[in-house]
Amino acid sequence: MAPKFEWWAKGNNRKGTPVVVKMENPNNWSMVELESPSEQDFLVEGRREKSRNKNARQLTWVLLLKAHRAAGCLTSLGSALIALGTAVRRRIAAGRTDTGISSSSSPAIAKSKPRFLYSCLKVFLSLSLMLLAFETAAYFKGWHFETPKLQLPYGFFDWVYTHWVLLRVGYLAPPLQFLANACIVLFLIQTLDRLILCLGCFWIRFNKIKPVPKTAISDLETGENGCFLPMVLVQIPMCNEKEVYQQSIAAVCNLDWPKTKILIQVLDDSDDPITQSLIKEEVHKWQKGGARIVYRHRVNREGYKAGNLKSAMNCSYVKDYEFVAIFDADFQPLPDFLKKTIPHFKDNEELGLVQARWSFVNKEENLLTRLQNINLAFHFEVEQQVNSVFLNFFGFNGTAGVWRIKALEDSGGWLERTTVEDMDIAVRAHLHGWKFIFLNDVECICELPESYEAYRKQQHRWHSGPMQLFRLCLPAVIKSKISIGKKFNLIFLFFLLRKLILPFYSFTLFCIILPMTMFVPEAELPAWVVCYIPATMSFLNILPAPKSFPFIVPYLLFENTMSVTKFNAMVSGLFQLGSAYEWVVTKKSGRSSEGDLAALVENEGGKKMKHQRGASAPAPETEAEKKAQKKNNKKKKKHNRIYMKELSLAFLLLTAATRSLLSAQGIHFYFLLFQGISFLLVGLDLIGEQVE
C-alpha cells in the first residue's frame, strides 16, 4: 500500500493541464484546454491560494465584526430615537404658549407687544396652504407650472388658474424680484464686511499685534520703577440673581490690588426680600474678613442697570477714585485682572476704556450654548479686536471692563434712555474723542443662557436697544467734530450694516422672499444665494472657534431661525414700540463655581486662586426664609414654552418646501425643509434647557 500512498502523494504535486468545462445540460458540454503552466507558476499559485484563503477568512471576520457593530449602532439609535420621542412628547405636553405666559405674567407688557408680525405670518401661512392645494391640483392636470403651455380656459378651475398665473407674472413677480435683488446686494455687502474683518484679524495674528502697557505687570508685583497703583472703584450691579451672587462677590474680593486703593460696591436692585438678605449677609461676611466692600440697595428700579450705576456714581466718595471696573453678577474676574488692565492707562490720557474678553464656563452644556459660543467668539476675536486695533473704538460690552471716571463724566455719565446703556456711553465717549483698547488675552469667566427663553429675551434687548440709540444719537453723530471716516464707520458700519441690515435681510430673504418664490416661480433666487453664500458666512463666523466646525450646519439654520426675534426687536426699537423698553434680567444657572475658577487659573498658567470664603451661621429669620424658599422651589416645575411666531414660520417653510418639491428645485427644497425643521424645533422649545 505504500507505493500507492506515495503515488497519491506525488500526484498532488504533479503538473496538470488546466481546462475549462462549459456545460449547459448533461448531454451538451464542451471542454477547452488552456496553455500548460510551468512549475514556477504552480509554486506562485500555491502561495497565492494560501494567501487568498487566509485573506478571505480575515475579511469574513472583519465583515462579521462590522455587521455586529452596525447592528449594535442601529439598536442604540432605535433606543435613542424612542427616548428622544418620549422626551419631545413629554416636553410638548408640558408646553405653554408664549402669548399666554406673557399675558398672564405681565398684562401691561403683553398689551404693548406688537402683534402685527404674528398676524401677517398667519395670513401668509393660510394663503400659502391655499396656493399649495391649488398648485397641486394644477400639477396633476399636467400643466407642470409652465406658463407658455397654458391653454384657454374651458372650466372654472382653468379660468381661475390662468388668471392667477397672469397675475403673478404681471404684478407679483417684478416687485418680488426687485426686493430679492436688493436683499442679495445687502447680503453681499454683509459678506464682504465679514471677510474684511476676518482678514484684519488674520493680519493682527500674523504680525502679533497686541496692546502693550507702559508699566509692566512685573513692576506692579515687585513695586519697582514707580509702579502705577491708582484708586479703583469696583461695581457689581445685580438684580434677583441669587444663583451667582456669592461667586461674583468672592472673585472680586480676591482681586490682587492694595486694599487701601480699592473699594467694592455691591449694587443690589433685587425686589425679593430673601435675595436681599442673602446678598447683604454675604457682604457683611466679607467686611468682617477685611475687604473694603459696601452694600447699596435701591427701592425704586428706575432706569434699570443704567439707573443703578448712575445712582452709585453719585456717591460722595467716588471723587476719590480714578477708575471704575464693572462686573455683572455672573462674572468672576481672576485675581490679576486689575494688574493686566490698569497699567494700560498710565501715560495714556486719551484712553477711556479697557475691555476684557469673556470666557464661558458652560459653553458645552447643550447645543444652544455651543451655538452662542460661536457667535460670541467671532464677536470678541474678530469684531472687537479689529475695531480696537484699527479704529480705537468698539461697543462696550457692559461688563468686564475698566473705565476712566473722567471719561464717563466727560461723556455725560450713565443715561437711562435705552436698554443698551453700555453702547450708549461708548458712542458718546467716542464722539468726545476718547479711545478704547480691547485685550483679547485677558479673560473674565461668566456663563451663557441655557434656555431658549432666556436667550431670546437677551437677544431682543440686544437688538432693540441699538435701534433706539441710533434714532436718538444720529443728530449728535452728524454734528460732532470727529472725522468723516469715523462718522461713516459709526453710522453705516456700526449701526446700519451690523445692527439693522443684518437682521433685516436674514429674515426677509430666507423667511419671506424664498418661500414666496416657490409660489411665484417667475421670481428666482439663485442657488448660490441659498447655499454657497450662507455657507461662506457661516464658515467665516466659525473660524475663531475651530472646535465648533461639526456644528456649522446647525449654526447656519439656527441663525436664520433667530432672525425672526432679531427682526422683531429691530423694528420695535426703531419705531419705539412697547416691547423695545422691556428689561428682563437674563436667567442664570450658577454653573460657575470655585472649582471652575481654579481650573481656569491652572489652564492659563498656573496659580490657583484661594478663596477666603468662610461659613457663617445665618440668623434664625434668614434660615426660616431659606426653608420657605426651598419649599417654594420644590413646587416649581419645568415646562416648555411654545413660540407661535416660530411655529408659524416652520409650517410656512415646510409648505414652501412641498411646493418646491413639485417643481423639482433640489437645493431650494433641502434648504426650506431643514430650515422649516429648525423653526419647528425652536418653536416647540426643544433646544436648550426647560424653564421653571
Side-chain angles (χ1 to χ4, degrees), residues 242-286:
K242 59 183 177 181
E243 297 86 2
V244 293
Y245 73 94
Q246 285 183 319
Q247 300 156 12
S248 60
I249 293 176
V252 171
C253 288
N254 278 284
L255 287 172
D256 190 5
W257 202 255
K259 289 186 178 180
T260 58
K261 294 181 177 295
I262 186 173
L263 176 65
I264 302 168
Q265 289 181 318
V266 177
L267 311 177
D268 183 23
D269 263 5
S270 303
D271 54 9
D272 177 26
I274 297 177
T275 304
Q276 293 177 25
S277 61
L278 292 175
I279 297 174
K280 189 182 298 183
E281 179 185 345
E282 186 73 11
V283 171
H284 290 334
K285 182 177 67 178
W286 282 99

Side-chain angles (χ1 to χ4, degrees), residues 287-305:
Q287 287 175 341
K288 293 178 181 178
R292 294 192 66 207
I293 183 171
V294 295
Y295 174 84
R296 285 179 53 85
H297 177 263
R298 292 195 310 161
V299 178
N300 185 6
R301 281 193 66 205
E302 182 181 358
Y304 302 110
K305 182 181 176 180

Side-chain angles (χ1 to χ4, degrees), residues 309-345:
L309 294 173
K310 182 178 181 180
S311 174
M313 294 300 293
N314 289 331
C315 295
S316 59
Y317 53 78
V318 173
K319 67 179 182 297
D320 299 328
Y321 294 85
E322 188 176 355
F323 302 99
V324 56
I326 303 173
F327 301 100
D328 283 350
D330 60 317
F331 279 73
Q332 302 168 37
L334 296 178
D336 60 354
F337 181 87
L338 293 179
K339 287 187 174 181
K340 289 184 176 180
T341 54
I342 294 294
H344 291 272
F345 288 98

Side-chain angles (χ1 to χ4, degrees), residues 171-188:
Y171 299 98
L172 298 181
L176 183 60
Q177 187 66 60
F178 174 79
L179 184 59
N181 294 337
C183 288
I184 291 173
V185 171
L186 297 178
F187 196 12
L188 293 176

Side-chain angles (χ1 to χ4, degrees), residues 215-230 346:
T215 300
I217 297 176
S218 58
D219 294 339
L220 292 178
E221 295 175 350
T222 59
E224 298 177 354
N225 299 329
C227 56
F228 184 58
L229 295 171
K346 185 179 181 181

Side-chain angles (χ1 to χ4, degrees), residues 446-467:
C446 61
E447 66 177 61
L448 294 164
E450 296 183 6
S451 68
Y452 179 70
E453 173 69 14
Y455 179 64
R456 186 171 180 256
K457 290 180 178 179
Q458 181 195 70
Q459 292 300 303
H460 188 279
R461 187 176 78 246
W462 285 4
H463 285 81
S464 64
M467 290 298 97

